[in-house]
Amino acid sequence: MLRFFYYAVAPAVLPVKTMKQLLAEPRPVRAAGVAVGFVGLLYALTSAVMALAGAVPLATALLPIPPENYYFWQTLFVLPWTALAGALAYGALRLAAGGRKEKDGPAAVRTAAAAGAALAGSLFVAWVPAALTALFLALGMGQQELVDILSEPGGAQVVYLGLYALAAAAAVVLFVLAARQGKAKNATRLKTTVR
């Protein structure tokens, strides 16, 4: 089984079991980091498809990027931003755990691995509606037609917005679970070397 795929998807479905399996890995930080990178790659590929389809953002972008080139630039920057999000998630969980000084200790390893799994799982759930949008655009649906379908109250709008709400809920649950893993004193014994 492809571990990186498993650790990207499974935290959203089986969070407790997945965190325990991840922490039992010989290199849990690497496994979680590759899962985060995998989800970042999914976003990059989805952004490339949307750029090729000529899509523009459905909402106003925060950065002053021309809408016609938005997905092109997102394709280039989504991987570094995903890595930065992983580092920020780890830092936030370390602060929440009391910011212990043991940089390479078991608590730091548990926190880093759990933060990566939490980020990968929640980003994967948020990727699903983006992937569906890219799929419809790649199959020839026009952006205006897509906007019309998603703007009308109904089943499509409920599913689309529901997936993003599910991603937000998954992020809360997964990061609370990850914070608990970082604080656990009797968690699975891990090698203190982060590889």
Side-chain angles (χ1 to χ4, degrees):
M1 175 172 29
L2 300 172
R3 284 186 346 205
F4 62 89
F5 178 76
Y6 176 77
Y7 289 126
V9 177
V13 182
L14 302 165
V16 175
K17 180 182 177 185
T18 305
M19 290 282 185
K20 287 180 182 177
Q21 287 177 334
L22 176 66
L23 295 176
E25 287 277 339
R27 297 178 182 152
V29 175
R30 178 181 284 181
V34 172
V36 170
F38 173 71
V39 175
L41 183 62
L42 289 176
Y43 273 100
L45 293 173
T46 302
S47 299
V49 168
M50 294 176 87
L52 291 172
V56 296
L58 296 177
T60 305
L62 297 176
L63 300 175
I65 299 172
E68 305 82 41
N69 297 330
Y70 179 83
Y71 287 109
F72 168 77
W73 290 108
Q74 182 171 304
T75 301
L76 297 178
F77 290 116
V78 73
L79 279 171
W81 280 106
T82 305
L84 178 63
L88 291 173
Y90 167 70
L93 287 181
R94 288 296 290 158
L95 287 174
R100 294 183 205 97
K101 293 183 181 179
E102 54 175 309
K103 293 189 181 184
D104 291 329
V109 172
R110 286 192 308 271
T111 302
L119 180 65
S122 54
L123 284 179
F124 183 82
V125 176
W127 169 79
V128 172
L132 290 173
T133 301
L135 175 67
F136 288 129
L137 292 173
L139 292 174
M141 181 180 280
Q143 177 125 7
Q144 187 58 48
E145 185 180 0
L146 182 65
V147 169
D148 290 342
I149 290 170
L150 295 177
S151 297
E152 289 293 321
Q157 186 183 60
V158 168
V159 170
Y160 187 77
L161 296 177
L163 285 169
Y164 282 116
L166 183 62
V172 170
V173 169
L174 289 171
F175 279 102
V176 167
L177 180 61
R180 286 184 181 169
Q181 294 299 323
K183 284 184 152 185
K185 293 191 189 295
N186 295 323
T188 306
R189 291 183 182 229
L190 302 171
K191 294 179 183 177
T192 58
T193 306
V194 180
R195 298 179 200 168

